[in-house]
Amino acid sequence: VPVDNFEYNSVESFDLRYLGFEGFTEERKGRRVVLLYLGNEGQIESFYNASGFLFELASELSAGVLFIEHRYYGKSLPFGEDGSFTNEGLRYLSIEQALADYSLFIAEGVPNLLGCEDCDVVIFGGSYGGMLAAWHRWKYPHLTVGALASGAPIDFYPETGIQDDFYDAFLHTYEISQEGCGATLDTLLRTKYSEDDLNHLNICSPESATVDTFMFYVKGAVSSLAMIDYPYELNFIAPLPANPVEVGCGLLRGGGGDVEPPIVQLRNLVDLYVNYTGDLACWDLDAELVGEGGGVGRMVGSSDLLGVTSWNYQACTELILEPITSDGFGFYPPDDGKESQKVIDRCKAMFGVTTRPEWMPLSFGTSEDYSKYLTNTILAENEKDPWHVGTQDVVANEKNELYRLFAEGGAHHQDLRFSDELDSEGVKAMRAKERDIIKKWLNL
């Protein structure tokens, strides 16, 4: 694909990596169906292995399955590992460029790979990938039959109060796991801590640590633990036991008959998420985008799978409410005002960019716009995933085939994973509805 899809005098190009499976592929009614996952902020293998529903559906539809990697992630690097992550090299990383890449792949790559001049392409995505799937329908609806966007906060913008909704949503996950746990965690998060309290923590650079960066790190970890509260043991973003929120609620009660200090309870809960294996040497608070100094390099932790530098660049340019936090394991929306200004200032220092938060709703729309004009799109929300508040104001539109589905007991895009006997009835019912809608789009 071109390095710059919107430059008409450039001949520079690079390779986007894709993965495919053709074991189910055959023509039905003279048509060939393709299920295409639009890659998110990491290596494409991690999404290939976490999206079993596409393979289950492909077996029913005799469809081909393709996964396309996002530019600047995994091995799809425009200027190689050395040149892609400089401030100059990163300037071709944007949502607009990624959507254009995917359009070229649909128009030129898919027909060549699967031997169909006019394939019926249904696009899929979870989390940021889901946002891309919905936004691809918004920008390029003529190229696909429809989209399934799961856990896709497409209306998550500053100055809307969405951060408060997000906070309430992740506390809800703790509360439904164990009565009173959400309230306990809320109290711990609202406790006023001092610099001396930080001595209870294993911080990489204690001399530069602040209570503000500590709290942002904590919120990123505990909200992300809620997000991936799957009913089975899993290593996705972070290795965790089954029902990790329930495990975490047990840690908040303290050991034996004694209740541990609030700072220690928070430490134990955060360590369950970021350091379940014991491999993380210390908490790197300096890497937080809301920080005021210290290191500005790559975070550790899950950065081998998730492109931390690339994603924080995207947070700095277009997605200010979704910076990576908690040693690369979490995401958390900064509050409007002081925290957001810290992110803007840090972005300028790190990448030399000026954040334009007003651009996204102008270019990609809001819930009001989607409710009126978005077509052939399923917005799938899972109860335990706090990011579902990013579609809470979208109104389903039967005429336009815009659907909002909600799964009680579901975690972050759990409906895209392989079916499991431990799935909640809500997740099972939502998958069944998704199947029916997609088959309707395909006239099958």
Side-chain angles (χ1 to χ4, degrees), residues 230-428:
Y230 297 109
Y232 32 71
E233 183 178 358
L234 197 64
N235 186 358
F236 178 70
I237 303 180
L240 288 170
N243 302 303
V245 167
E246 182 179 343
V247 176
C249 287
L251 297 174
L252 296 185
R253 292 195 299 267
D258 300 323
V259 177
E260 295 175 310
I263 192 79
V264 175
Q265 293 184 61
L266 278 184
R267 181 197 66 196
N268 294 342
L269 181 59
V270 170
D271 269 340
L272 168 65
Y273 181 60
V274 304
N275 202 22
Y276 182 63
T277 62
D279 293 334
L280 187 66
C282 53
W283 295 5
D284 187 4
L285 301 189
D286 281 345
E288 299 300 298
L289 275 185
V290 298
E292 297 178 353
V296 293
R298 291 176 87 94
M299 292 187 228
V300 294
S302 63
S303 58
D304 288 343
L305 294 177
L306 297 177
V308 175
T309 299
S310 299
W311 183 256
N312 271 343
Y313 179 84
Q314 291 195 258
C316 283
T317 51
E318 295 181 305
L319 299 168
I320 189 174
L321 293 191
E322 296 163 50
I324 285 182
T325 179
S326 313
D327 275 302
F329 289 102
F331 302 81
Y332 198 77
D335 292 336
D336 296 324
K338 181 181 176 181
E339 279 190 347
S340 288
Q341 188 58 51
K342 285 183 178 180
V343 172
I344 291 171
D345 294 343
R346 194 77 181 278
C347 288
K348 186 70 173 178
M350 289 177 68
F351 298 116
V353 297
T354 300
T355 305
R356 293 195 301 160
E358 70 283 353
W359 170 246
M360 287 301 293
L362 179 64
S363 179
F364 290 94
T366 64
S367 290
E368 182 178 1
D369 302 315
Y370 305 138
S371 302
K372 293 179 181 177
Y373 306 118
L374 187 59
T375 63
N376 284 39
T377 301
I378 302 168
L379 300 175
E381 303 171 359
N382 285 278
E383 180 183 16
K384 294 191 287 187
D385 176 14
W387 294 102
H388 75 73
V389 300
T391 49
Q392 65 184 353
D393 293 328
V394 177
V395 178
N397 186 325
E398 183 177 353
K399 178 182 177 182
N400 289 346
E401 298 269 355
L402 171 64
Y403 302 90
R404 263 190 67 204
L405 306 182
F406 184 83
E408 291 186 0
H412 195 44
H413 52 75
Q414 189 175 339
D415 51 307
L416 293 182
R417 305 190 71 86
F418 275 115
S419 298
D420 191 283
E421 60 182 9
L422 296 176
D423 289 335
S424 70
E425 292 304 312
V427 171
K428 294 175 183 177

Side-chain angles (χ1 to χ4, degrees), residues 3-4 12 71-72 79 83-84 86-94 97 313 317 353:
V3 170
D4 185 352
E12 285 188 289
R71 60 169 54 206
Y72 287 89
F79 308 111
S84 294
T86 65
N87 288 356
E88 175 67 18
L90 284 165
R91 66 193 182 100
Y92 298 105
L93 172 56
S94 70
Q97 294 281 5
Y313 179 84
T317 51
V353 297

